Amino acid sequence: EADIYQTPRYLVIGTGKKITLECSQTMGHDKMYWYQQDPGMELHLIHYSYGVNSTEKGDLSSESTVSRIRTEHFPLTLESARPSHTSQYLCASSETGGGNQPQHFGDGTRLSIL
Amino acid sequence: GEDVEQSLFLSVREGDSSVINCTYTDSSSTYLYWYKQEPGAGLQLLTYIFSNMDMKQDQRLTVLLNKKDKHLSLRIADTQTGDSAIYFCAENPPGGYQKVTFGTGTKLQVIP
C-alpha cells in the first residue's frame, strides 16, 4: 500500500512569508515529484528527483525550490510567497526501473496566499 | 514533451455505463494508467494496462487499448454517485529515467 504524506493539508498565509511544504514517503522509492494543480484540473510537474542529492526542474517553471537530503523526504520551499502561488500542490513517488512504475500520490496541500 | 489528451467533462445517469477516452502520442509507452481524483484528495491509481494487451477487466472497470490509434479508454459499468471524480490517464515511456505524462483530466459527473 502507498504511504506518502503531505503536511500541511491547508495553509492560508500572507504575502512575503517563507513557506515549506512537507512530503514524506515510507516506501523507499527513489523517485519523487511535485505537481502544481489549479482548478483547471491539469497537473503540471514543477520538480522531481531521482534519488538523494538529485533535483530537477519540471515542465512548468516555478519559483519554488526543493531538496532531497534523505530518500523519504522531499520538501518544497517558497522563499517569499505571493498570491500567484495560490494553488494545490501534490507530491508523488515511484519506484525506479523500466517496468511498471505507477506514481503514488499524497493528498496534497492547498495553499492560499493573501 | 508528449501530449495526452482527454475530453474535459462527462455526465451520466446513475446505473448507466461511463466511457472515458484518452489519446496519447508516445507509441513506445510500456504501461498506461488510469487514476481517480476525488475532491480535496490526491490521485489514486485505479488500474493499468501493459502495452501488449488489448483489454483488461477489473470488476466494474474495463480498460481498452488500441495501439494502432494510440487510444485508451476506461469503461465504468453501473456507474454510481461515488464514481463522481476527475479521471486521469497516464503513459509511462520505457526506460528508468523517463517521466510519466498525465492526461488533461476528465471530470465525471454522475446524476442520481
Side-chain angles (χ1 to χ4, degrees), chain A residues 9-10 31 33 35 37 40-43 45 48 50 57-59 88 90 95-108 110, chain B residues 4 7-9 30-31 33 35 37 40-45 48 86 88 92-100 102-107:
Chain A
R9 286 297 314 279
Y10 304 93
K31 287 184 179 176
Y33 315 82
Y35 293 89
Q37 184 182 34
M41 302 187 308
E42 194 167 353
L43 293 170
L45 181 67
Y48 60 101
Y50 290 125
K57 290 196 177 294
D59 305 321
Q88 169 148 277
L90 292 170
E95 294 180 16
T96 304
N100 190 6
Q101 318 162 11
Q103 292 187 14
H104 302 271
F105 283 81
D107 283 333
R110 187 167 292 280
Chain B
V4 182
S7 52
L8 279 179
F9 187 77
T30 54
Y31 286 89
Y33 304 101
Y35 289 84
Q37 185 181 29
L43 277 67
Q44 171 195 359
L45 179 68
Y48 66 91
I86 302 172
F88 292 90
N92 185 21
Y97 290 93
Q98 298 298 318
K99 300 192 298 287
V100 169
F102 285 88
T104 48
T106 299
K107 185 170 185 176

